Each structure stands twice: as structure tokens, then as C-alpha cells.
Amino acid sequence: MADSSNADGTQGNPKDDKHQSLAHDRSGGAGFLGKGLTSIVSFVTATLVSLGVIIFVMLSGSLEQEEAQAESLSHSQAEILEVYLSSAIHEVDVVMLSVAEEIGHQQQTGKLNPAVLNAYLTRHQALLPQIISLRVADAAGNVRYGPGVQDSAPTNVSDRQYFLVQRDVAEAGLVLGAPVMARISKRWVLPLSRRLSNQDGAFEGVVYANIALDYFSQIFSKVDTGPNGTVTLIDGARSVIARHPSPEDKDGFVGRVLSSPQIVDIMKAGKTEASFSALGTLDGITRIFSLKKLENYPLYISVGLAELDYLASWHRQTKIALTVFTVFVAFLFFSSALLLLAWKRQNRTMAELVLSQARAEASMSELRTSVAVQRATAARLELVLKTAVEGIVGIGADDKITFANPEAAALLGYPSAQVMLGLTTVEAFRHRLANDLLCTEGVCAIRQTLQDGEVRRSAEESFEGPGGRRIPVEYAVAPLRFEDRIAGAALVFHDIGKRIEMEAELKRSNMELEQFAYAASHDLREPLRMVSSFVTLLEKKYADSLNDEAREFIGFARDGAQRMDRMITHLLEYSRIGRSKEPFRPVDLNLVMKDVLLDLGPLIEQLQADVLVSDTLPVVRGDRDELSRLFQNLISNALKYRFSDRPTKIRVGSRAGAEVCTLFVEDNGIGIPPEHRERIFAIFQRLHTQGQYEGTGIGLALCKKIVERHSGKIWVDGEPGVGSTFFFTLPSLRQ
Ligand code: ADP
């Protein structure tokens, strides 16, 4: 007994194992897909994070760089402006000192010459483009000298802060006053002043110069701080002196104290320069400021570069980087999706592959089974072929023998079937046609079947084995098909030599019998005629001496002799059928029927029978006299076996077929019981006594012999009491 236990002792079904492994493969495929998805997601995430980090690092690096650059730039600009403004102030200071010196010099050398001083002031003012006025005021604050000064109504500056400082503090030096609206020029100015003292050091007045605040704006505007940059000049108390760009409300702006904590811290710490980032108090714009103290002067210059300016290119870069990043992300997602799709498709294909492999395995096992079945069938077939009493030969499409059974070899005289393989049909059995031509010279049924695939039979041809013995054969050839094409043919044959001999013997003995019957019946008529004529003579000569009984006996003897004569005539007729040496010819049955009706005309008329004959009877190939006898017998019987109290109706017609035509003779007579329908065609077979219907019982046997000589068949149908229909077939003309 087969043991299907597994190693662990459990019972296992090999099929289940296969399913399990298949299921495993499929789940493996799904796991593979899952891994693939995870890998893609990890890859995309890692790439995006890396790229994001790179972009972030790059951007923050460039941000720092931009900021450092902005700081450095603002710092340089502040430095340049500081140098520039310091020297501008210094120049003014130098001029004011030289005016003070000039005044001192004139006072020492005599009296102060206003014209000379004014000319001096005018000349020096002209030398300094940064100032709009260079003037001298006396100890009472009245402005006495300088270009455009009117003696008649002097302007008084004693209330000015710088005047008070110079008057009260002998060592004040250069005093930079708070910006004021100049009383003469009516412009915002930064007043610079120096004290005038006499020889004793007493206060004599001030020399002052006004720098127009516009001058600063003008200088500042030359510095490129960008569209939103600012340059601001402030004093030590964080009050704004000048700013570029100048706000609309200049009056409200000048003197405003900046409260930025960074500036407060820087000044408190006493730093002379510093940079910081802060929100603009005026416009809310974030800037990088560089603050620089003017060397020697309590003024600070502040250059602010707006973040939105110096980071403009960084913003552009960021935008580009983000766009590139977005495009890359989209591309990455798109290509990942495509990759995933391809992956899925691949996995699907793999799963299908696994499935089809399983299917292939299943069909392989089916194939193995079917091969086993086929082998068994082949073995059975071989047995059949080996034991068959018919010769069986397989022929390929090229007319070569592919197999042969032992009987085929034996019939043809080959030592074994093997020897026949590979030979053509002509080589193997020199096939001869009915007309004795070699098959290659005429129309060969085997070759035709190989071409058109029709099944063919023949019983008139012959084969010839290697020994040279001619074998008359009956064979059937059928096509072997493979996928709708003829791959060859199978030939089944047997030797009909003995049958032919027997048939010939039968024919010969039949002939002898017929000759004997003919001779016998012919010779029998002679003594019968003698009997008949002597009985008649006896009756005539002894008519008077014979009593009624003797006369009746003589009558019986004469009737018997006459009947015997009729029988012999019929027998003679029967034996004559087929003796004619005339070949068959086309016979128009319409004409035959005309003659028959003419012969039977008086009887038909006498019985007032209605005989209806189709006028489309066929033309057949045959013996006209015999066919005439056939119709005559059948119609005579139809007239004879009628009902006397019923009008007789007879119908003759035909049904044409491709190879044979069927004719019929139908009557409305007494009919024939079904059990006698075969018997009545045998010779001397009658269903009635002479008293009922006269006859010899040869008529239908004669009909049968005629029909069969024409290769046809005859049979009867009908119903007792209703009528009979005799059918018979005759070969169509083209046969
Ligand atoms: P017979 O000389 O007796 O007519 P047949 O050979 O012609 O001999 O007929 C054989 C028998 O078949 C007849 O005896 C008759 O019984 C029967 N038979 C023949 N023709 C007909 C027919 N048309 N109708 C009925 N019976 C028929």
C-alpha cells in the first residue's frame, strides 16, 4: 500500500502541496510588491529629504553671505560718509578759525574793516559748497558780517543754543548746534560755530557757518543704498539731523530722537561703530544698519540697507530653488508612480507566469495521462491490426507506406510487414485498375483519396506482390486527417480471388441450369401437345359412347394439359430472360408503356379499368423487350387481382434519382398481406387457387429476374382490401 505520510507523520495530498507552493509563490509575489513599494517610498523620501537639506543649507549659506555682504557694504558706506562728512566739517571749522583769526588780526592792526571782512567771508563761503552762510555775530547776538547781511536790521542769533554755549563756555571750541530753520535763508541748517574773544579772552561774538541739511541729503543720495536703503545723520543725543531719502514731513522729522534700543546701547557703550539689524521706525522695513561716529565730532552716520533689497537676489534664488525643487518633487513622484506601475505590472506578469507554470504542469500531467491512454489505445490497435483478417496499410501523403499489418504482408507475399514500409503503393503492390492499366497510368482511387479525402471502394482491381502473383482485391480507402488537412490514407483490402472463382462457378452452373430448363421445357411441350391432341381426338371419335362422367374426365385432362402448356411457356419465358446477347440500350419507358397499353387495350376496355400512366416516365438503359414484359406482367396482375364490384384504377409513375429511378404500378385491388410480400416473388408461389384466380406463379419471379438483370430491386407495398403498389428501380440513363 502506498504511504503518503510526510516527515512529521501527517498524511499529505501531493495536490495540496502543489497548491500550497503556488499559494506561497503568490504571497511571495505580494511580499515582493510590498517590498518594492516600501523601497520606492524610502527612496523618494530619502531623495526629497536630502535635496531639501541641500537646498536649505545652500539657501541659508547664501542668506548669511548676503547678510554679511550687506553688513560689510553698509559698513563701508558709513565709513566713506564719515570720512567725507568729517572732512567737510573740518573744512568749515578751519574756515571759521581763519575768520576768527582775520578778525583778531584786523582788531590788532586797527579797526575792524567791515568791507574787508565781508569780502573775506564772501570769498571763503564761496570756497565751501557745503555751507550756505558764513557769518559773524557780535556779543549781543546781532549778525554783523557775512554775505547778504544787512546792517540796518541785523538778525539776532543770541537765542540760538550754539550762541549761548559759545558765550558761556570759553573753551567750547567748535560747537555743532541742533538743526534750526535759518532766519535769513529760511532753510533747515546745521549751524557750526566758533567763539570770538578779545585779547583778554572776553566774549566778542561768534563766527558761524550753516550747512544746509539738503547738502547732507545730496551727499547721501550719491551713495547707492538700494531702492529702500537709508542714510541718516544723527547727533550724540540720537536726534535726526538729516536723512536720505528725505521724508515728506521734514519739519516733523528733523530733530526727532531715534529710540532704537540698539542705537541707545551702542551710544551708551561709547562705541564708535557697530552694525545691527532692526525694523525701520519710520517705515517698518527691516534693514541692516551700520552706525559710525564721525571722528572728532559728536555726529553719527547710519547707513541702512533694506533686507528686501539686499536679499532680492537671494529671494529670486530661493524662488528658483523652490521651483526646481517642486518640479523635481513632481518629477520624482511621477517617475515613482510610473516605476510603481511598471513594478506592479511586472509582479502581475510574474504571478501570471507562476499561474501559467502551474497550468502547464497540470496540462503536462494531463498530457502524460493522455499519452498513457494513447499508448494503451495504440497497443490495442496494434493487436487489432496484427490479428485482423484484412490487409491494412497506412499510406502517407507522399504515397509511401507508413504502416502495414501482418495480414497485408501475407496477402501480398512479403516476408514481413516491416519490408513494405517506405515503399510507394506502386512499388509495394503494383496496383492495377479494372481495365488492367497500372494505377499510375489511369484514375487511381487511392491517389484520388489522398487528394480529395473521399472514401472510395473497389472490387474490380488487383494487387501484385513481390512474387508476381496477381491478386484480385476488394478494398476500401479512407483519408487520414490531421488538423483539417489530409495526412494520408488507410487502405483495407482482402483477396477476392476465391469469391470470383465461386461466382464464376455459380454463373456457369446457372447457365447450365437455364439451358437445361430451356431444353426441358422445350422438349416437354412436344409430348404435352400429343396428350392434348389425343385427348381431343378421343373425345371427338367416341363422343356418342362416352357418358357425361367420361366427358368430364376428358375435359379435366385437356385443361390440365393446357395449363401445363401455359406453365411450360412461362418457364421457357423465364429461362430466356438474360439469354439475349444484345447490350443494354437507352429505352424510353413512355414508348414501352404505349405498346403495353396497346397489347392490353382490349382487356382494359373489357374491364372498363381506368389506367393512368405518367407521361414523364424516364429513359433508362436496358433491354426493351424485357422491360416491356415487366410492365405487362405487373399491369396484368393489377387487372387480374381486382375487386369485381369496384371500378379498377391503375396508376403508373416514376420518381427520378441521381443513380437510379424508381417506378411504381399501383392498383386498388385485393392487396397482399404483409407476410407474403417476399414470397410472391419466388417461382411458382401463388396466394390463390386456380378456382379463385388463374395463374402459374411465374409472373412476379419473371419480373424479379428482369429487374435484377438491370441491377435493380423490386418490392411491394400496400394494404389488403385497399390495393397494392409494386415498386422497382432501374439504372438511370447516365449510369
Ligand atoms: P400468377 O400467375 O398467380 O399471377 P404471379 O407470380 O404473377 O403468379 O403472382 C404471384 C401471386 O402474387 C399471385 O398468385 C397473387 O396471389 C399475388 N399477386 C400478384 N399480383 C397481385 C396484385 N396486383 N394484387 C394482389 N395480389 C397479387
Side-chain angles (χ1 to χ4, degrees), residues 100 109 217 286 305 418 437 455 533 540 693:
T109 55
S217 301
T286 305
L305 297 182
Q418 205 67 26
L437 283 175
V455 177
S533 50
K540 274 184 185 166
Y693 295 98

Side-chain angles (χ1 to χ4, degrees), residues 637 640-641 667 672 680 685-688 695-697 699-700 724:
N637 276 355
K640 184 166 36 169
Y641 299 104
D667 63 51
I672 301 162
I680 54 170
Q685 292 297 327
R686 307 200 65 235
L687 301 181
H688 307 282
T696 59
L700 286 181
S724 312

Side-chain angles (χ1 to χ4, degrees), residues 597-608:
L597 290 179
L598 212 61
D599 285 350
L600 296 175
L603 183 61
I604 294 170
E605 214 166 294
Q606 183 198 329
L607 298 175
Q608 294 188 330

